[in-house]
Amino acid sequence: MKEKKIKEKRVKEKKVRKKSKLRADTVLHSNNKVLRWIVDIVLVILGAGLYSVGLHCFATPNDIASGGVGGISIIISELIGHNIVGILYGAINVPLIIIGLIFLGKKMMIKTVISVAVITAATDYLLPYLNVPVYSEGDKILAALFGGIFFGVGMGLVYLREGTTGGTDIINKLINRKFPHFSMGVIMMATDAVVIMTSMVVFRSIEAGLYSIISIFVASKVMDVILYGSFEGKMLLIFSDRYETITEFIMNSLERGVTLLDGEGGYSRAEKHVICCAVHKNEYSKVKRKVKEIDPNAFIIITNAGEVLGMGFHDNA
């Protein structure tokens, strides 16, 4: 009788410890989500600010239509004779953000609204108020190069945190979701072709279009390095009892292929399923984050893949 009571007491204590650990894990998980969200917002604001520098300091004063809504805003500003590039940028983005809310989801578009607001405010108000130097009398090739660098780094940081800088970025993101084997840089260059042609007509100069091409090309390459790291990728081996949910996320949300490997636990001898998949460098942090949300006890092995070839990746065959 005494042994039975001791056993029952131990079972109760074990349940209490388990509940306490579960509560602690829930609080920790909640805190981590808040911290990640804060980091996301900070980097989105930083990226949008760098984009504004490229727009205000290099593109606008040199009549370089930088592509997308930024380039469209510069062209319209020239036509109406008023330098309100930031305001035009925000106004044009309103209908595009509505489209994004429908197709890309609320989470991404919250970050997009923040980035668009920062670009609008910084371009027309903050940077002029701070008297940030404007490169307007130097070599236009340098203006195109450095404008492209600021655009590429800015957009790369925003994309890296699952946001966009608005404008045709929203359209580019939708195209990339439908055709993931096209990089964001290539898609951006394709959608900017119309803006380049229009800038040549408005500024009555072929050089204006050529400088725009230089700026857009540099921006696309810089952005691809930040997002994809050339053609490098990551290979993941994920060990989890909730492999079905994780597999569904990778295949549906990231549209990446998954191979399930059969295994056996060395100690428990229990049957195991191992998820094997390859992702771009900018995607693996998202997978890692989501896997830990689905299964905090998941075991993940991440290795560098020097080059990934095939569907959804580079194919030089």
Side-chain angles (χ1 to χ4, degrees), residues 234 236 279-288 302:
K234 296 284 186 179
L236 289 81
V279 297
H280 282 302
K281 288 180 70 175
N282 70 303
E283 293 173 329
Y284 97 91
S285 58
K286 184 178 180 180
V287 175
K288 183 172 64 173
I302 303 169

Side-chain angles (χ1 to χ4, degrees), residues 68-123:
V69 170
I72 294 170
S73 300
I74 292 172
I75 292 170
I76 295 175
S77 183
E78 172 70 15
L79 289 172
I80 63 178
H82 294 284
N83 187 7
I84 51 170
V85 174
I87 294 172
L88 289 169
Y89 189 94
I92 296 170
N93 267 294
V94 172
L96 294 171
I97 287 173
I98 294 172
I99 294 172
L101 280 170
I102 297 171
F103 294 103
L104 296 178
K106 188 183 295 184
K107 184 178 179 182
M108 177 180 288
M109 296 317 299
I110 288 174
K111 295 174 184 178
T112 298
V113 170
I114 292 172
S115 69
V116 169
V118 170
I119 292 169
T120 299
T123 303

Side-chain angles (χ1 to χ4, degrees), residues 20-36 292-293 296-297:
S20 298
K21 186 177 182 300
L22 185 62
R23 281 196 295 267
D25 289 342
T26 302
V27 171
L28 181 62
H29 175 64
S30 178
N31 290 339
N32 287 339
K33 285 185 70 175
V34 171
L35 180 61
R36 283 196 299 267
K292 284 301 180 182
E293 287 181 9
N297 297 316

Side-chain angles (χ1 to χ4, degrees), residues 104-168:
L104 296 178
K106 188 183 295 184
K107 184 178 179 182
M108 177 180 288
M109 296 317 299
I110 288 174
K111 295 174 184 178
T112 298
V113 170
I114 292 172
S115 69
V116 169
V118 170
I119 292 169
T120 299
T123 303
D124 277 0
Y125 300 102
L126 182 60
L127 295 177
Y129 176 77
L130 295 175
N131 290 320
V132 175
V134 174
Y135 189 82
S136 59
E137 297 179 357
D139 191 335
K140 285 197 174 186
I141 292 180
L142 286 178
L145 289 172
F146 281 92
I149 290 171
F150 277 100
F151 291 139
V153 174
M155 289 187 291
L157 287 175
V158 175
Y159 278 155
L160 203 59
R161 306 316 294 186
E162 302 170 35
T164 76
T165 52
T168 53

Side-chain angles (χ1 to χ4, degrees), residues 287-300:
V287 175
K288 183 172 64 173
R289 180 188 303 181
K290 191 66 178 180
V291 168
K292 284 301 180 182
E293 287 181 9
I294 295 171
D295 182 6
N297 297 316
F299 187 78
I300 310 173

Side-chain angles (χ1 to χ4, degrees), residues 29-50:
H29 175 64
S30 178
N31 290 339
N32 287 339
K33 285 185 70 175
V34 171
L35 180 61
R36 283 196 299 267
W37 180 255
I38 292 173
V39 171
D40 286 353
I41 298 304
V42 169
L43 288 179
V44 165
I45 292 172
L46 175 61
L50 291 173

Side-chain angles (χ1 to χ4, degrees), residues 9-286:
K9 185 178 179 182
R10 287 176 178 173
V11 170
K12 288 180 180 179
E13 289 175 349
K14 190 175 180 180
K15 287 182 178 179
V16 169
R17 285 196 299 270
K18 191 174 181 180
K19 287 182 179 178
S20 298
K21 186 177 182 300
L22 185 62
R23 281 196 295 267
D25 289 342
T26 302
V27 171
L28 181 62
H29 175 64
S30 178
N31 290 339
N32 287 339
K33 285 185 70 175
V34 171
L35 180 61
R36 283 196 299 267
W37 180 255
I38 292 173
V39 171
D40 286 353
I41 298 304
V42 169
L43 288 179
V44 165
I45 292 172
L46 175 61
L50 291 173
Y51 184 94
S52 297
V53 172
L55 202 59
H56 175 74
C57 300
F58 297 99
T60 303
N62 291 282
D63 296 336
I64 298 173
S66 51
V69 170
I72 294 170
S73 300
I74 292 172
I75 292 170
I76 295 175
S77 183
E78 172 70 15
L79 289 172
I80 63 178
H82 294 284
N83 187 7
I84 51 170
V85 174
I87 294 172
L88 289 169
Y89 189 94
I92 296 170
N93 267 294
V94 172
L96 294 171
I97 287 173
I98 294 172
I99 294 172
L101 280 170
I102 297 171
F103 294 103
L104 296 178
K106 188 183 295 184
K107 184 178 179 182
M108 177 180 288
M109 296 317 299
I110 288 174
K111 295 174 184 178
T112 298
V113 170
I114 292 172
S115 69
V116 169
V118 170
I119 292 169
T120 299
T123 303
D124 277 0
Y125 300 102
L126 182 60
L127 295 177
Y129 176 77
L130 295 175
N131 290 320
V132 175
V134 174
Y135 189 82
S136 59
E137 297 179 357
D139 191 335
K140 285 197 174 186
I141 292 180
L142 286 178
L145 289 172
F146 281 92
I149 290 171
F150 277 100
F151 291 139
V153 174
M155 289 187 291
L157 287 175
V158 175
Y159 278 155
L160 203 59
R161 306 316 294 186
E162 302 170 35
T164 76
T165 52
T168 53
D169 288 354
I170 296 172
I171 307 300
N172 294 343
K173 202 80 174 179
L174 289 171
I175 295 172
N176 182 248
R177 178 170 290 187
K178 184 69 175 176
F179 304 103
H181 48 285
F182 291 121
S183 75
M184 287 300 301
V186 171
I187 296 170
M188 185 182 77
M189 288 189 70
T191 55
D192 287 340
V194 175
V195 179
I196 293 172
M197 297 299 293
T198 306
S199 71
M200 292 182 181
V201 175
V202 171
F203 294 118
R204 298 175 183 176
S205 169
I206 295 177
E207 287 186 348
L210 297 178
Y211 291 132
S212 297
I213 291 172
I214 293 173
S215 180
I216 293 168
F217 180 79
V218 172
S220 69
K221 292 303 177 183
V222 171
M223 185 173 64
D224 275 353
V225 169
I226 292 175
L227 289 175
Y228 305 121
S230 185
F231 299 126
E232 291 184 12
K234 296 284 186 179
M235 189 185 80
L236 289 81
L237 294 175
I238 305 169
F239 302 76
S240 172
D241 292 332
R242 302 194 63 188
Y243 66 93
E244 291 179 339
T245 306
I246 295 170
T247 298
E248 185 179 345
F249 163 73
I250 295 172
M251 294 181 68
N252 294 338
S253 296
L254 296 182
E255 297 181 351
R256 293 294 178 204
V258 166
T259 299
L260 292 177
L261 308 176
D262 292 328
E264 183 181 282
Y267 178 77
S268 65
R269 297 299 176 184
E271 185 178 322
K272 298 286 184 181
H273 292 282
V274 182
I275 300 170
C276 177
C277 68
V279 297
H280 282 302
K281 288 180 70 175
N282 70 303
E283 293 173 329
Y284 97 91
S285 58
K286 184 178 180 180

